[in-house]
Amino acid sequence: MADHVTQSAKKRARLDEPGDSAEQQAAGAGERVARKDPDFWFDDGTVALVARDVEFRVYKGILAEHSPVFADMFSLPQSSAECGTRVPVVHLTDSPEDVRHVMRALYPKKGTISMFHDTDKPSYYMISAYARLGHKYQIDDLMQKASGFLKAFYTNDYDTWYRSEDFQPSGWSRIQTIGVVNMARLLDCPTILPTALSTCCTLPAKMLLDGMQREDGTIEQLDYEDLARCIDGMRSLTQATTRNYLRVIAPLETPGCRTRAACEIGIRKLLHNAELVAGKHPFFECGGLAVWMTAEEETFCQLCEKELERRVRDEQRITWRRFPELMSLTIEGWVTEEEQG
């Protein structure tokens, strides 16, 4: 599951005696030498953050302003040695890739007009770093940015979800939804879970079990309970899809239809489309039905096509109200009063 943070987060980051750089300190101690980060190394920086083999020379005042964890860390007694160009060194357990995303937010470059300059289409790795390190170091702005983006996309609003083109943010891969589930748990955003977990249900079994690779190459997996929800959810979602589909393709009695015989033939064709009848997901598969109807545009009259589309939406709305239940979840306030009506 995603990294969890304890109250001892500040203790896990080690504050070393001041030195010219972590690179020089490591060399003197015979340790692996850290390399300077090309983007976040300020000559007048006041603290060095070392993540694995990468050193970030930044300003501790900005870190302390955004993070009470760093503020507490910097309040600890430090060496009274003459500093000059010497700065204290903090060793982090985070990956340099994650730290770099956070640095971009806290230390924006020239031409950036806001703290979050890359928010139109943020990468999965950026949002993941904001969520996990924001939580770990109690940087509220990062957590709010991550949770806000995830809740806007992995929504509890049916119409918003229905309009989604590929059921994941632009540029994200479906397997990264494993990380989305873990972020929802970490940030306590339960309304994200039904759509995110159900998307995980569409992954091949081995991919679901093996987990996803983070930016630094480490593997992230679902925890045991959420993995069990996905396994059970695959069956529940298939049953819901079949139920919806069979109700959608019930005999048509559309008022005003002048090609009833042809439209009835179209219904029979749909009935024998096993891929759609036994689909994996009650919301993914509606796209398959729309594609089929487009390819067979001469099969249905416009009135019957609109009737089928109406049926799809009606059945999906019914399923949407039960979405948490299908994924073995209980979520208060899942649907709006309008949707309940």
Side-chain angles (χ1 to χ4, degrees), residues 88-103:
V89 178
V90 179
H91 288 268
L92 306 177
T93 59
D94 314 293
S95 74
E97 291 83 2
D98 281 346
V99 174
R100 197 170 291 115
H101 285 296
V102 173
M103 294 300 103

Side-chain angles (χ1 to χ4, degrees), residues 117-329:
H117 59 282
D118 186 23
T119 55
D120 288 341
K121 293 184 179 179
S123 70
Y124 166 81
Y125 299 119
M126 172 181 147
I127 293 297
S128 177
Y130 283 10
R132 291 183 291 106
L133 270 63
H135 186 273
K136 179 177 181 178
Y137 297 111
Q138 300 174 26
I139 305 176
D140 291 341
D141 290 334
L142 294 182
M143 288 191 288
Q144 290 171 7
K145 176 61 187 174
S147 62
F149 177 83
L150 293 173
K151 286 192 286 189
F153 191 90
Y154 295 93
T155 176
N156 64 341
D157 178 71
Y158 166 75
D159 290 315
T160 300
W161 185 247
Y162 182 86
R163 290 191 297 268
S164 175
E165 293 183 0
D166 199 27
F167 299 96
Q168 67 236 4
S170 175
W172 295 27
S173 64
R174 190 164 293 181
I175 193 173
Q176 290 171 333
T177 314
I178 289 173
V180 172
V181 171
N182 292 336
M183 284 188 274
R185 295 294 188 189
L186 182 67
L187 300 176
D188 191 24
C189 298
T191 58
I192 294 171
L193 290 170
T195 50
L197 280 169
S198 71
T199 302
C200 289
C201 290
T202 67
L203 294 170
K206 187 176 187 304
M207 191 177 292
L208 182 63
L209 293 170
D210 288 347
M212 57 155 284
Q213 184 172 289
R214 287 180 177 167
E215 192 173 14
D216 66 343
T218 58
I219 300 300
E220 180 172 354
Q221 298 171 306
L222 292 175
D223 71 12
Y224 178 83
E225 291 187 356
D226 282 332
L227 188 58
R229 285 187 177 91
C230 287
I231 294 172
D232 290 339
M234 290 177 184
R235 180 182 64 253
S236 298
L237 292 173
T238 298
Q239 290 173 345
T241 303
T242 301
R243 171 194 172 279
N244 288 2
Y245 190 77
L246 292 177
R247 291 172 70 93
V248 166
I249 62 174
L252 289 167
E253 297 180 357
T254 310
C257 174
R258 297 182 178 181
T259 57
R260 190 171 302 280
C263 291
E264 289 176 351
I265 291 174
I267 286 293
R268 287 196 292 271
K269 286 182 179 180
L270 288 174
L271 183 60
H272 289 88
N273 191 321
E275 183 177 349
L276 291 176
V277 172
K280 296 180 179 179
H281 198 290
F283 300 101
F284 283 45
E285 303 307 327
C286 73
L289 176 58
V291 169
W292 188 93
M293 288 195 299
T294 300
E296 302 285 340
E297 58 183 352
E298 296 182 0
T299 299
F300 297 103
C301 69
Q302 289 186 350
L303 291 173
C304 287
E305 185 173 332
K306 288 182 179 179
E307 171 62 14
L308 288 172
E309 291 173 354
R310 183 195 64 78
R311 290 181 181 184
V312 166
R313 296 292 296 272
D314 287 350
E315 294 303 323
Q316 285 189 340
R317 285 188 185 279
I318 293 172
T319 302
W320 186 261
R321 299 185 190 112
R322 298 181 52 237
F323 213 176
E325 176 189 342
L326 294 175
M327 299 309 304
S328 304
L329 297 165

